[in-house]
Structures are given as structure tokens and as C-alpha cells.
Amino acid sequence: MEFHLFPLFALLLVLEGINSSLLPAEVYWRSKLPNTPLPKALQDLLKPAADERKKITYSFSEDAVGARICYEISYWEKMTKISNQNSIPSNTTTIFFLQDDLLPGKKMKLAFTKSTNGSNFLPREIAESIPFSTNKLSEILNHFSINPRSKEAEIMKITIEECEAPNVRGQDKYCATSLESLVDFAIGKYGKNVEAVLNEAEEENESQEYTILKGIIMVGEEQIVCHRERYVYAVFYCHTIKFTKVYSISMVGEDGSKAKAIVVCHTDTSAWSPKHYAFQVLKVKPGGPPICHFLNDDAIVWVPY
């Protein structure tokens, strides 16, 4: 007799009270992380595309890579060069700052907006059937009908190269190409007692001045940070880095809107490239005072509890 395991599994989930209308990735999350709510930002990335071969819906702007690197912590020399070429003026938003400035009453210029990247997660079985390596780049571009000479192809290549780059001291990294693989990486590090935290804002807005309120909370000194990559479908670059502290801070904007922002502070920067963007704007050197940065709005932090 032939058994079909997934329908049986779905039936059991229904009997246990899990909504049968959930997508397979949502079912997987709830089965692996029953005590951890699925953040809406990730749930929004599960909307199935009509055709996974459809050309990228995201418009790769010229400064897309530079913008990402300014928010994210990247040590890879090639990415540092790109960051330098596409530097964001320091007077637009607060990107990097010293830990001594993480105080109630301190004003920071920020913008809370949704990601402009329209790509969603592929179902796990489809994502795993598509190569994700530089030596298969031609095959990948052909699969998605992308011109090898286009800006899209260039940025996709950079994304894969960063995922393939060797770890630096104190870092353990992984690129998740599906929600299920994202969950597996977090559980593999911390088990099922893990919380997913990210920025939350009452209103999306243009850059404005926010004031840090009382009640700064240190979420943990051990975490996985996952940054949304620029790619044809949703890919998250996840990394663990030693000598860091994660804070959840409450803020209020000039327009009165409130927000909760996630801040990562790095207490040991001695392994960073001397050309890193943070050193340029803060006028400090590797191994100097702790450097903090806000997470961009399409990033997620996993912390054990």
C-alpha cells in the first residue's frame, strides 16, 4: 500500500488545532517553533508567485548594494569596495554610531520603510532544485531568463559570492534560500527556545529625527542576524558574530509616531577591514570603541531564551 505522508501530516496538524489553510512553510514554522510567532515581515514573503521563472520584480537600483552594505556588517574586501563606491551621505540617516551614544534622549535620524525588493520565498523543494553557486551562475541566469550582462546578473553574482566567501574570525554564516532553511539554521544553533525580533514602526515614513526613550533593553549577547539579500527570490544572509550585544530600543519621531528599533553593538572590531564604511564616518580605527548600527527593516535577529 502506498502512503502519502504530507496529507496525513496536514490532517494531524488540523486535529491538533493548526489551520489547514496555512502554506507548507507556515506549517513547518509552527511545527518546529510552536512558541515563536511568525513575524509578519516573513509571512509576507511566503505569498506564492505565479511562476518562479518570472523575471525579477525588484528593480535593482545603482545604489542597491551600497545601501545594503552601509546598514549591514560586511568584512569581505570586495563588498567593502562596493560600499565605498556607493556611500550614503552621513547626513541622511544615522547608520553607524558609537555605543556611548545609545542613551535616552539621544536623537537619531531614521526612516522606517518596507523593503523595495519584491521577491518572495520560493517553496523549499523548488529553491533546493535551483543551483546557488558561482560556477552555476549561467544556469541560474538562464533559469530566470536574466541577461548575463545586466545589472541584475551582476548583483546576483555578488550575492552568491558573498555567501560563498570564507568566514572571518568569530563569524559563522549561512545563506538561507527558503523559510524552512532559515528555521533550520536558527534551531541548529539555539534549539527551539528562540525568539525572532525585528524593527516595528507605527507608521512608515521618510527620514525624520527620532528620540530614544527610556527603557533600553539588552535582548542578548548571543544572536544570529539575518539580512535580506538582493536576489531573484528571497535569500537571507545569516551570521553569528562574537563580541556583540543586541538592544531593543523604543523611539518617538518628530511626527509623534512610535517605533521599536533593533540595535546591534560590536565590541570587538579588530577583524574588520580598515576600509569599512563605519570607520570612515565615525573616524575610529579597527579595535577601537564599540560600534553600533540599526538593523535595516528587512533584517531579523534570532536570540535564545
Side-chain angles (χ1 to χ4, degrees):
M1 179 182 296
E2 183 178 351
F3 291 95
H4 297 281
L5 295 180
F6 185 78
L8 178 60
F9 177 60
L11 176 60
L12 291 174
L13 290 173
V14 173
L15 293 175
E16 292 176 4
I18 295 181
N19 192 334
S20 61
S21 66
L22 297 177
L23 295 170
E26 294 177 276
V27 172
Y28 191 83
W29 178 289
R30 293 196 181 194
S31 67
K32 295 292 185 179
L33 298 170
N35 299 318
T36 304
L38 174 61
K40 186 179 184 300
L42 290 179
Q43 190 173 25
D44 289 344
L45 299 181
L46 296 177
K47 299 173 183 177
D51 179 5
E52 85 276 2
R53 293 173 181 264
K54 187 177 180 181
K55 187 169 176 60
I56 304 176
T57 56
Y58 173 73
S59 176
F60 285 94
S61 62
E62 289 296 320
D63 64 348
V65 177
R68 175 191 182 280
I69 295 306
C70 287
Y71 277 95
E72 202 250 306
I73 296 300
S74 181
Y75 314 85
W76 185 33
E77 185 66 21
K78 184 171 183 178
M79 300 306 287
T80 301
K81 291 178 181 178
I82 293 171
S83 174
N84 293 341
Q85 293 169 2
N86 298 279
S87 296
I88 297 177
S90 59
N91 62 351
T92 56
T93 56
T94 302
I95 300 170
F96 292 103
F97 58 95
L98 297 179
Q99 187 170 337
D100 288 345
D101 289 327
L102 188 60
L103 297 169
K106 186 70 177 182
K107 298 183 183 298
M108 305 274 186
K109 200 167 186 181
L110 298 170
F112 291 94
T113 58
K114 287 184 179 179
S115 170
T116 56
N117 189 338
S119 59
N120 292 338
F121 277 121
L122 292 179
R124 184 177 200 168
E125 61 274 14
I126 295 178
E128 291 182 348
S129 71
I130 302 170
F132 189 79
S133 63
T134 49
N135 59 9
K136 294 284 187 178
L137 183 61
S138 296
E139 184 178 337
I140 298 170
L141 297 178
N142 182 65
H143 180 91
F144 291 104
S145 302
I146 296 172
N147 185 338
R149 297 181 180 83
S150 66
K151 189 68 176 179
E152 293 92 331
E154 178 187 348
I155 294 178
M156 287 174 64
K157 179 174 182 286
I158 291 171
T159 291
I160 298 174
E161 287 178 336
E162 185 180 16
C163 287
E164 293 178 337
N167 292 349
V168 298
R169 178 170 58 85
Q171 180 191 47
D172 185 11
K173 67 182 181 67
Y174 173 74
C175 282
T177 59
S178 66
L179 181 69
E180 294 91 334
S181 60
L182 185 66
V183 169
D184 288 347
F185 184 68
I187 290 177
K189 292 295 178 185
Y190 301 137
K192 293 188 176 183
N193 293 326
V194 62
E195 181 182 5
V197 297
L198 60 166
N199 294 340
E200 298 176 9
E202 286 183 345
E203 301 287 343
E204 290 185 37
N205 48 55
E206 299 296 328
S207 179
Q208 67 169 319
E209 195 171 72
Y210 280 85
T211 302
I212 298 177
L213 303 176
K214 293 181 179 179
I216 297 172
I217 301 171
M218 189 179 76
V219 179
E221 297 184 78
E222 184 179 7
Q223 72 283 321
I224 298 170
V225 181
C226 296
H227 304 272
R228 179 84 177 275
E229 286 286 345
R230 307 306 190 210
Y231 203 67
V232 63
Y233 54 87
V235 172
F236 278 82
Y237 176 98
C238 299
H239 57 122
T240 60
I241 303 178
K242 295 180 180 179
F243 313 115
T244 58
K245 295 180 180 180
V246 176
Y247 295 90
S248 175
I249 63 173
S250 297
M251 313 183 80
V252 61
E254 291 175 292
D255 63 359
S257 63
K258 295 181 180 179
K260 182 191 78 174
I262 305 300
V263 171
V264 178
C265 294
H266 301 258
T267 57
D268 182 1
T269 61
S270 58
W272 294 16
S273 167
K275 299 179 181 179
H276 195 287
Y277 183 85
F279 299 134
Q280 299 177 43
V281 297
L282 297 177
K283 309 301 181 185
V284 295
K285 296 181 179 180
I291 292 176
C292 303
H293 65 95
F294 290 96
L295 286 189
N296 40 339
D297 294 330
D298 53 7
I300 182 170
V301 177
W302 300 87
V303 291
Y305 62 85

